[in-house]
Amino acid sequence: VVRANQLILSKIDARNGAIGLVPPELDGAIVSNDFPSFEIRDPGQCDTAFIGWLVRSAPFIELCKAASEGSTNRVRIKEDRFLDQQIALPPLTEQQAFVARLDALAEKTRQVEAHLDAAERDSLRLLVTMTTRCDVDDDKRLAWGWKPGAIGDIAALALSPETVDAERSYPNVGILSYAKGVFGKIPIEGATTSAKTLYRIKSGQFIYSRLFAFEGAYALVPDEFDGYYVSNEFPTFEINDDLATAKFLMTLFMTEADWHEMRASTKGVGDRRLRIQPEHILARPIWLPPPPEVARISALFDQHIALKARLTAIRQANAALLQATLERVFNA
């Protein structure tokens, strides 16, 4: 049993920063003996909150590494060695002053993060509303030139199969969950893979993971992954350019509500076996806007993606500010 404000660490991963204070909401939680916890001996000499900040600093992580031993995959921190490590402990009043300053900075960075999240949510909400016009009734959509249909009216399965050559290496991609895009994976070696057929993907195609569609593994293939390969677990689709765009289609799969809607047609047992087949994608009912509106939605999609990139850069700088301050405080 652990209690609020105890210092707790992972014997295996303390050297990687897995250490901190037990928060109030986890008071009374249960852990195994791989997660030892510690009380502060004398709160009159050592402020618990100060320790909470100290353990997040790079010098303290080095201290944890020094207290660990073992072979490659069995390295664990030794409690007695950990407790023998020396730290610089300023007077209590200085500790409390450090805590006040760091808490204030943390609150400012939290507020910035909250504003960034709100801006991204509002941008996505606007994009989705413009793509579906869910804010108006069907009669108004019809009056504006929108037509009811299905994804199959604008998209078709686009498979480019290639028989695996044992002497070739095939660049490979995966899809991040929560509509966060495509990433490069270790190439598939023809000599070692069990797959007989792989599928070549093209820039701009809509692609998804049958296995992880229920948690938002949908994406557009970016230019840098044109010509890469995937297994049959990653269907791709071409769009009829006279009717819609891949960006319009992607927007229909960018929210959690969209993923839950598709999950209803999932097959399999257990989260790791759930699969959404291409025919379920193509059968999804949609409202198709007139061409000028499709172009407007596509432009709005680009603006949303550009905004997300800017917000990501601000988030990284925001997070780095707090960590940099920690290093200045605890390296002094």
Side-chain angles (χ1 to χ4, degrees), residues 123-134 251-252 254-255 258 300:
S123 175
L124 179 59
R125 188 180 299 114
L126 173 61
L127 175 61
V128 171
T129 300
M130 294 300 297
T131 303
T132 62
R133 291 321 310 237
C134 55
T251 304
L252 300 174
M254 291 181 69
T255 71
D258 298 322
L300 190 59

Side-chain angles (χ1 to χ4, degrees), residues 1-3 8 22 25-35 37:
V1 178
V2 296
R3 294 300 178 188
I8 188 170
V22 177
E25 61 269 24
L26 293 181
D27 182 67
I30 304 298
V31 298
S32 75
N33 60 1
D34 273 330
F35 298 88
S37 57

Side-chain angles (χ1 to χ4, degrees), residues 52-81:
W53 283 112
L54 173 64
V55 300
R56 297 172 61 177
S57 66
F60 199 90
I61 301 306
E62 292 303 316
L63 178 152
C64 291
K65 291 178 181 178
S68 301
E69 64 180 36
S71 57
T72 306
N73 293 319
R74 303 290 297 176
V75 178
R76 291 173 181 267
I77 200 166
K78 301 300 180 182
E79 293 172 53
D80 54 345
R81 288 177 59 178

Side-chain angles (χ1 to χ4, degrees), residues 16-306:
N16 297 319
I19 183 170
L21 299 181
V22 177
E25 61 269 24
L26 293 181
D27 182 67
I30 304 298
V31 298
S32 75
N33 60 1
D34 273 330
F35 298 88
S37 57
F38 306 87
E39 296 278 4
I40 300 300
R41 284 186 179 274
D42 183 3
Q45 181 183 13
C46 180
D47 186 278
T48 303
F50 176 80
I51 294 298
W53 283 112
L54 173 64
V55 300
R56 297 172 61 177
S57 66
F60 199 90
I61 301 306
E62 292 303 316
L63 178 152
C64 291
K65 291 178 181 178
S68 301
E69 64 180 36
S71 57
T72 306
N73 293 319
R74 303 290 297 176
V75 178
R76 291 173 181 267
I77 200 166
K78 301 300 180 182
E79 293 172 53
D80 54 345
R81 288 177 59 178
F82 173 73
L83 293 172
D84 281 341
Q85 298 297 312
Q86 300 293 305
I87 61 171
L89 194 64
L92 187 63
T93 54
E94 289 187 30
Q95 295 175 43
Q96 293 168 340
F98 280 136
V99 169
R101 289 164 53 193
L102 291 168
D103 283 351
L105 178 58
E107 175 59 19
K108 290 295 184 183
T109 60
R110 187 202 62 77
Q111 291 174 8
V112 170
E113 189 71 24
H115 286 307
L116 297 175
D117 288 346
E120 188 168 329
R121 285 195 304 270
D122 288 346
S123 175
L124 179 59
R125 188 180 299 114
L126 173 61
L127 175 61
V128 171
T129 300
M130 294 300 297
T131 303
T132 62
R133 291 321 310 237
C134 55
D135 57 330
V136 300
D137 58 33
D138 292 352
D139 289 340
K140 184 161 287 188
R141 279 189 279 201
L142 288 168
W144 289 347
W146 291 59
K147 297 178 181 179
I151 288 177
D153 297 332
I154 64 169
L157 195 59
L159 299 178
S160 298
E162 291 189 17
T163 301
V164 173
D165 184 341
E167 296 183 359
R168 283 190 61 187
S169 179
Y170 297 86
N172 184 25
V173 302
I175 305 175
L176 294 167
S177 294
Y178 312 113
K180 290 187 176 180
V182 175
F183 66 97
K185 297 172 66 177
I186 296 172
I188 299 171
E189 299 299 331
T192 58
T193 182
S194 60
K196 303 299 182 185
T197 304
L198 292 173
Y199 298 85
R200 193 170 184 268
I201 61 176
K202 298 178 183 177
S203 173
Q205 288 180 326
F206 176 78
I207 187 171
Y208 81 102
S209 165
R210 293 195 301 166
L211 185 57
F212 292 105
F214 72 93
E215 62 179 28
Y218 303 92
L220 298 183
V221 178
D223 292 342
E224 61 265 32
F225 293 121
D226 182 64
Y228 276 55
Y229 291 84
V230 293
S231 73
N232 62 355
E233 290 287 3
F234 299 88
T236 54
F237 298 83
E238 294 283 4
I239 311 302
N240 184 336
D241 293 335
D242 293 332
L243 298 176
T245 66
K247 294 172 183 176
F248 168 79
L249 178 57
M250 181 63 207
T251 304
L252 300 174
F253 292 89
M254 291 181 69
T255 71
E256 194 169 344
D258 298 322
W259 313 333
H260 288 169
E261 179 182 333
M262 293 307 301
R263 184 171 186 168
S265 61
T266 297
K267 302 296 183 182
V269 179
D271 281 354
R272 304 297 291 187
R273 296 293 301 168
L274 296 173
R275 279 175 165 79
I276 291 179
Q277 304 300 342
E279 56 266 28
H280 298 128
I281 298 287
L282 295 172
R284 178 179 173 179
I286 62 170
W287 279 88
L288 181 63
E293 198 67 13
V294 171
R296 184 182 177 195
I297 292 165
S298 296
L300 190 59
F301 178 93
D302 289 338
Q303 293 171 6
H304 173 71
I305 297 302

